[in-house]
Amino acid sequence: MTTAVTPDTYYGPSFASLLDQDPQIAELLVAELDRQRSGLQLIASENQTSPAVLAALGSTLSNKYAEGYPDARYYGGCAEVDKVEKLAIERAKQLFGADHANVQAHSGASANQAVYGAFASPGDTILAMSLDHGGHLTHGFKVSFSGKWFNAVHYGVHPDTEDIDYDQVEALAKEHRPKIILAGGSAIPRLIDFERFRAIADEVGAIFWVDAAHFIGLVAGKVIPSPVPHADVVSFTTHKVLRGPRGGAIVCKEEHAKKIDRAVFPMMQGGPLMHAVAGKAVNFAECATSAYQAYAQQVLDNSRALAGGLDSRGIRPITGGTDTHLSLHDLRGVGVTGVDAEARCDAAGIVLNKNAIPFDPEKPNVASGIRVGSPSVTTQGMGPEQMETVAELIHRAVTRTDGDPDHAVAREIRAEVGELLTSYPAYPEPQAG
Ligand code: DSN
């Protein structure tokens, strides 16, 4: 699909002035919209936010400095943005049943930085999932601030189950007595046992923190258990399954509220991005609807169907399946590396990412796996039947193409992707009349 370079539903009336003033950037915006529309978007951490959220992001709230918190700012003129932030906070508390919410974090990494700032000092020990078993850079990886400033001890998955090794978590917690125990990550397909983590944290007197960035949308949709009743603090991003603007947020118990707020501002950040805070408010209201809950259930059903479809074609899901929006697949059964699979799929119009699998014999930039997620294709209206088609397309791209977009099979797959997207478009143009 190619979008005409004209004011577009998804860029609003101000697009005309951008096109006039800076056609180079205007055309790139349209090219990116075309890219999102013309491929199968299977990156588990991405989604397609609503036109309402895009409108908030493109608003004049971007102009306003508002250091501080509602009714306690360091600048004048904050009356309107105060109302926006109060709405965002109240909606987040309501949506997650939380005592307290901070909606100012610029990103997931910024939110995580603030949690460290609230509960730990440089040199303290933290216990988190290792990146190569599904954790995250900000969970103590050596080149991240978190690995440089803290003594990070890592647990992983059990070789038999490929799921979190809770006995190892407990043993490491008792041995190292960490200040913080952190659960969550970027490539964990299974539900996390929050009760077990809570019990381990209580046993050693640690703060229990859940980085729920990946799955918080499924919690909002009430289709998987919530970490909020169990954890001291839950950080998350707002742009994954949740389908809001790019950004971060934190919810916590009342006893930690002041610490968290001070750690976000003034410890880690300056002025909040009020246009993004407005986008979060819009998104939290969207997530409280039954339509969003149905979406979240569909994300789960589709993820299971996609994992099963790949499994039946010899692309094995780690842990044997998924309970979430993502699955992680071992490509060794089809004899292709992650980096090659990603390139082959890309050339065939399928966007996904290579991913290390637990105990991966390859380096991370080669990897033996791929990670796939259902949030975007579900937003486009696809269901389990289409996931079976998508699994077949991925398998064909991985096993029968070579990364060259001119390869006959890559061309054939791109045509089939295009046909599928005709029935399930991203950002469809509204029907006339
Ligand atoms: N980069 C994100 C992801 O893809 O999971 C996490 O920060």
Side-chain angles (χ1 to χ4, degrees):
M1 182 184 304
T2 303
T3 305
V5 183
T6 56
D8 185 275
T9 323
Y10 299 104
Y11 294 120
S14 54
F15 184 78
S17 70
L18 177 64
L19 185 59
D20 186 43
Q21 181 183 317
D22 193 337
Q24 266 183 303
I25 288 292
E27 284 174 23
L28 288 171
L29 259 58
V30 171
E32 173 58 15
L33 176 60
D34 278 347
R35 189 199 66 77
Q36 291 184 23
R37 283 172 162 168
S38 62
L40 269 175
Q41 309 298 334
L42 297 172
I43 292 186
S45 48
E46 294 181 354
N47 210 333
Q48 293 148 5
T49 199
S50 68
V53 170
L54 291 177
L57 287 176
S59 69
T60 55
L61 269 68
S62 171
N63 299 336
K64 189 71 198 95
Y65 257 120
E67 273 109 327
Y69 289 99
D71 300 326
R73 304 282 190 187
Y74 289 81
Y75 286 85
C78 288
E80 304 311 325
V81 293
D82 273 7
K83 291 176 204 158
V84 168
E85 188 166 344
K86 282 180 189 172
L87 277 172
I89 290 168
E90 281 314 310
R91 288 175 184 179
K93 284 167 61 176
Q94 183 76 26
L95 186 63
F96 298 113
D99 296 347
H100 180 73
N102 184 305
V103 295
Q104 291 193 3
H106 302 330
S107 67
S110 305
N112 288 355
Q113 216 171 7
V115 178
Y116 285 111
F119 297 112
S121 300
D124 280 347
T125 297
I126 62 130
L127 176 61
M129 187 143 176
S130 71
L131 181 62
D132 52 357
H133 283 205
H136 189 256
L137 277 173
T138 58
H139 297 183
F141 189 59
K142 55 183 183 294
V143 296
S144 147
F145 74 92
S146 57
K148 287 181 184 291
W149 295 346
F150 302 103
N151 172 37
V153 176
H154 287 119
Y155 58 86
V157 301
H158 193 282
D160 296 342
T161 61
E162 299 178 314
D163 197 9
I164 296 171
D165 185 344
Y166 293 93
D167 292 340
Q168 185 192 30
V169 177
E170 185 169 6
L172 289 172
K174 284 182 177 161
E175 183 185 343
H176 296 279
R177 317 291 299 185
K179 257 293 183 36
I180 295 174
I181 298 180
L182 171 50
S186 281
I188 304 174
R190 293 299 186 179
L191 298 180
I192 297 172
D193 186 344
F194 303 126
E195 286 92 339
R196 181 86 195 266
F197 267 107
R198 175 79 262 174
I200 296 169
D202 285 344
E203 218 179 329
V204 299
I207 288 288
F208 175 35
W209 165 20
V210 177
D211 179 346
H214 258 274
F215 58 83
I216 194 74
L218 300 173
V219 174
K222 305 194 188 318
V223 295
I224 65 168
S226 171
V228 174
H230 308 286
D232 289 287
V233 58
V234 176
S235 61
F236 58 93
T237 51
T238 47
H239 50 270
K240 297 187 173 83
V241 184
L242 206 57
R243 208 164 52 181
R246 182 160 295 275
I250 302 171
V251 294
C252 66
K253 305 269 183 235
E254 188 57 45
E255 63 187 292
H256 304 308
K258 279 204 176 80
K259 266 189 178 177
I260 285 291
D261 283 353
R262 285 191 198 123
V264 174
F265 171 85
M267 188 176 185
M268 298 297 178
Q269 293 189 174
L273 311 177
M274 291 312 305
H275 57 302
V277 170
K280 290 170 196 174
V282 173
N283 170 245
F284 295 147
E286 289 174 346
C287 291
T289 61
S290 55
Y292 180 82
Q293 288 170 12
Y295 164 75
Q297 184 59 54
Q298 193 67 67
V299 166
L300 267 189
D301 295 346
N302 283 349
S303 182
R304 290 194 183 112
L306 182 54
L310 289 169
D311 194 14
S312 68
R313 291 171 173 83
I315 303 182
R316 185 184 75 84
I318 298 299
T319 77
T322 179
D323 301 321
T324 68
H325 62 298
L326 70 83
S327 54
L328 184 62
H329 292 264
D330 182 350
L331 293 163
R332 289 174 297 178
V334 291
V336 179
T337 63
V339 71
D340 284 345
E342 181 184 298
R344 291 175 189 192
C345 286
D346 206 34
I350 302 168
V351 185
L352 47 72
N353 62 281
K354 64 177 175 297
N355 215 105
I357 56 172
F359 313 104
D360 202 323
E362 300 286 354
K363 292 190 174 116
N365 59 354
V366 175
S368 299
I370 50 171
R371 186 186 67 164
V372 291
S374 59
S376 293
V377 289
T378 307
T379 294
Q380 291 170 239
M382 294 188 204
E385 199 184 315
Q386 287 71 44
M387 292 306 103
E388 181 59 20
T389 306
V390 171
E392 193 281 318
L393 292 171
I394 293 172
H395 179 260
R396 207 183 329 151
V398 168
T399 57
R400 293 190 43 212
T401 70
D402 60 6
D404 178 357
D406 287 330
H407 189 287
V409 179
R411 278 211 304 264
E412 166 194 295
I413 296 169
R414 279 206 308 280
E416 289 175 48
V417 166
E419 207 169 302
L420 184 60
L421 294 174
T422 309
S423 305
Y424 301 95
Y427 291 115
E429 292 296 348
Q431 297 302 304

